[in-house]
Amino acid sequence: MRKAFICPSKYVQGEDELLNLGYFVGTFGKSALLIAHPDDVARVKGKLVATAKKYGVSFVESGFVGECSREEVVRLQEAAKANNCDCTVGLGGGKAIDTAKCVAQGGPLIIVPTIAATDAPTSHSAVLYTPDGAFDDYAYFKQSPSIVMIDTSIIAAAPVRFLVSGMGDALSTYFEARATAASYSNVNAGLPCGFREGLCGPAKGTKTAMALAELCYQTLLEDGTKAKAACESKTVTPALENIIEANILLSGLGFESGGLAGAHAIHDGLTMLKGTHHHYHGEKVAFGTISQLVLENAPTKELKEVLEFCLQVGLPVCLADIGVDSISDQELLAVAEKACIPEESIHSMPFSITVEGVAAAIKTADKLGRDYKAMKG
Ligand SMILES: [Zn+2]
């Protein structure tokens, strides 16, 4: 059986770690194209200036419009060329990071997340949007980021909702990897690798990825509540460090090399409901996870453990928690249909999937979540 595992060349995490950014830029050359939203640059300006000075490197800023579109990528690639940049730095949230991946095209790339809201920073893929914000396409690159750098002081100072949302994204990782392994489905780590061109075959997950996914879930259960309290107090504690690692590194490696399944597909289906648009990716993934557990009839003990965890850290457990106060059977079927389109990861579940079955799982997950919440008062 062909298997694949993919990861960044280096992951580094620590308090005030951003002060070492200049050192890593120096391993590639003298200058870096900095892709970051002006607000994020403003938040870390002092550290950027200090590290540039200390290591004798420069950051070329050419603005960032806030959307990862083909037009913006071409504009930034031209800026990198015109300024002879030796590497690309993507600093900020998901859009700046994805744009940096597209600009670097698998070349020297340093990713600096300023929030821990998703597990995207470590991956070798990005999501492209049109300039007005509609979904365009997925992109896969030949290499993962060269360096993923996390400054824990910056994450601790960011709004706590981002950290909790990241825990929602990380919550699905183990359950989706488990389903993918049970069905011997392919994982993203095998892409692109000439797969689409028929040059070499697709790949399954490794035992390594499964172990990381499991550790991700255990870390959430152990340190989630404590990490949230630390972030609310704007302080860095060992529990917060563990959750940052779980949200970004363990979940990132776990999903990319372990596979996605029901939770993310149900998330994608839910995005067609207007009410969910004000809720973050990880918040919807948390409810998608509960729905997947119902779909696969996971043990009651496990379902309760997940519901309890969500309530404790403040993740959604029912549709109302993600902005959907009422839903018709017709809308529910439409959500399930979207979750079940042929290219969706839901087909990595280890049994055949029907639209009606997925709709029933979402409806039941909503009821179980509401009941559990009411019981806990
Ligand atoms: Zn996700």
Side-chain angles (χ1 to χ4, degrees):
M1 194 185 292
R2 186 164 189 266
K3 300 181 180 192
F5 180 85
I6 192 164
C7 61
S9 305
K10 187 183 277 272
Y11 176 89
V12 53
Q13 172 186 314
E15 277 184 79
D16 296 324
E17 187 57 40
L18 193 61
L19 293 171
N20 294 325
L21 179 59
Y23 168 80
F24 289 107
V25 170
T27 63
F28 298 115
K30 282 275 159 216
S31 73
L33 180 75
L34 177 66
I35 299 174
H37 193 276
D39 294 349
D40 289 322
V41 176
R43 270 175 76 196
V44 301
K45 193 78 192 174
K47 286 181 181 177
L48 280 179
V49 171
T51 192
K53 194 175 166 207
K54 182 171 177 187
Y55 294 101
V57 299
S58 63
F59 295 105
V60 175
E61 284 180 59
S62 67
F64 172 54
V65 298
E67 201 58 82
C68 179
S69 67
R70 292 170 200 265
E71 290 81 352
E72 180 67 349
V73 169
V74 169
R75 185 183 75 78
L76 289 163
Q77 280 172 334
E78 280 164 4
K81 219 172 174 183
N83 291 285
N84 290 316
C85 294
D86 301 300
C87 64
T88 307
V89 173
L91 180 146
K95 305 254 183 190
I97 288 172
D98 275 9
T99 305
K101 288 178 187 175
C102 293
V103 169
Q105 286 291 315
L109 171 66
I110 305 173
I111 295 290
V112 189
T114 52
I115 53 175
T118 72
D119 56 17
T122 59
S123 80
H124 75 310
S125 58
V127 188
L128 282 160
Y129 292 86
T130 63
D132 33 293
F135 173 79
D136 179 351
D137 201 3
Y138 294 103
Y140 291 92
F141 309 106
K142 291 190 185 96
Q143 304 295 340
S144 299
S146 321
I147 294 149
V148 175
M149 163 182 285
I150 321 282
D151 186 321
T152 52
S153 327
I154 294 173
I155 306 274
V160 72
R161 187 176 166 194
F162 288 127
L163 186 84
V164 171
S165 176
M167 288 195 249
D169 201 20
L171 179 63
S172 74
T173 306
Y174 165 61
F175 301 106
E176 294 190 279
R178 182 174 75 180
T180 302
S183 63
Y184 296 95
S185 296
N186 301 322
V187 299
N188 280 356
L191 296 170
C193 202
F195 170 47
R196 289 191 205 281
E197 299 82 41
L199 295 175
C200 57
K204 315 294 176 196
T206 52
K207 280 175 72 71
T208 307
M210 183 52 106
L212 296 177
E214 228 171 323
L215 180 60
C216 181
Y217 180 53
Q218 292 309 328
T219 305
L220 292 177
L221 295 181
E222 182 58 37
D223 288 318
T225 324
K226 291 180 277 177
K228 186 188 177 189
C231 191
E232 281 168 338
S233 318
K234 310 238 172 275
T235 52
V236 177
T237 62
L240 179 63
E241 290 176 336
N242 288 349
I243 288 300
I244 292 170
E245 185 183 335
N247 285 10
I248 297 176
L249 184 63
L250 291 171
S251 183
L253 304 186
F255 102 81
E256 212 175 16
S257 291
L260 295 175
H264 270 78
I266 291 169
H267 159 279
D268 294 345
L270 290 167
T271 58
M272 70 183 293
L273 300 173
K274 255 212 159 85
T276 66
H277 292 179
H278 298 294
H279 290 267
Y280 296 155
H281 172 80
E283 294 170 338
K284 285 173 263 193
V285 169
F287 180 71
T289 303
I290 299 168
S291 304
Q292 178 185 317
L293 293 175
V294 174
L295 182 68
E296 63 188 339
N297 197 23
T300 308
K301 185 171 165 275
E302 192 172 82
L303 185 61
K304 277 199 178 146
E305 192 173 67
V306 168
L307 285 168
E308 186 62 37
F309 170 75
C310 288
L311 279 191
Q312 273 182 13
V313 299
L315 279 167
V317 294
C318 58
L319 287 169
D321 289 349
I322 50 169
V324 183
D325 293 317
S326 69
I327 185 168
S328 67
D329 283 347
Q330 211 180 351
E331 284 173 316
L332 187 62
L333 271 181
V335 167
E337 247 164 47
K338 187 166 160 60
C340 294
I341 59 170
E343 49 276 19
E344 263 300 353
S345 57
I346 202 159
H347 303 290
S348 292
M349 294 301 293
F351 43 83
S352 57
I353 293 293
T354 64
V355 170
E356 293 74 20
V358 172
I362 295 170
K363 200 171 179 176
T364 307
D366 177 48
K367 169 90 174 110
L368 283 167
R370 277 184 287 127
D371 289 352
Y372 196 78
K373 220 173 155 176
M375 189 183 82
K376 292 280 163 172

